[in-house]
Amino acid sequence: NKLSEPNSIIGTVSDENGAVIPGAVLRLYGGIGKQEFKVTTNSDGEFSILGIPQGDYTINSKVSGFSEL
């Protein structure tokens, strides 16, 4: 199914042991026109990216002391 309305991604960043990671920078890139969204997780490791137009995207995260994903 294709959606005509913008979409959202809401989540929590955690390590392999389940500990939340505050301050992680997430980058969502792609879609029509190669749009970019950047957010940083809050003190509970939570983030939200709202108003994402439909399309194919890549997401990665970066935080000091961890490998970039």
Side-chain angles (χ1 to χ4, degrees):
N1 292 343
K2 295 206 174 208
L3 301 174
S4 59
E5 296 183 24
N7 299 289
S8 303
I9 300 174
I10 300 170
T12 304
V13 176
S14 59
D15 67 14
E16 63 274 358
N17 297 316
V20 298
I21 302 175
V25 177
L26 301 169
R27 178 180 175 256
L28 180 70
Y29 178 80
I32 298 172
K34 302 297 182 197
Q35 298 187 35
E36 180 179 56
F37 300 84
K38 277 188 175 180
V39 296
T40 302
T41 58
N42 65 16
S43 61
D44 295 320
E46 300 170 335
F47 72 93
S48 61
I49 304 172
L50 309 175
I52 306 166
Q54 67 183 27
D56 294 323
Y57 291 86
T58 299
I59 190 167
N60 63 22
S61 63
K62 187 173 185 178
V63 65
S64 180
F66 290 88
S67 298
E68 186 172 336
L69 298 176

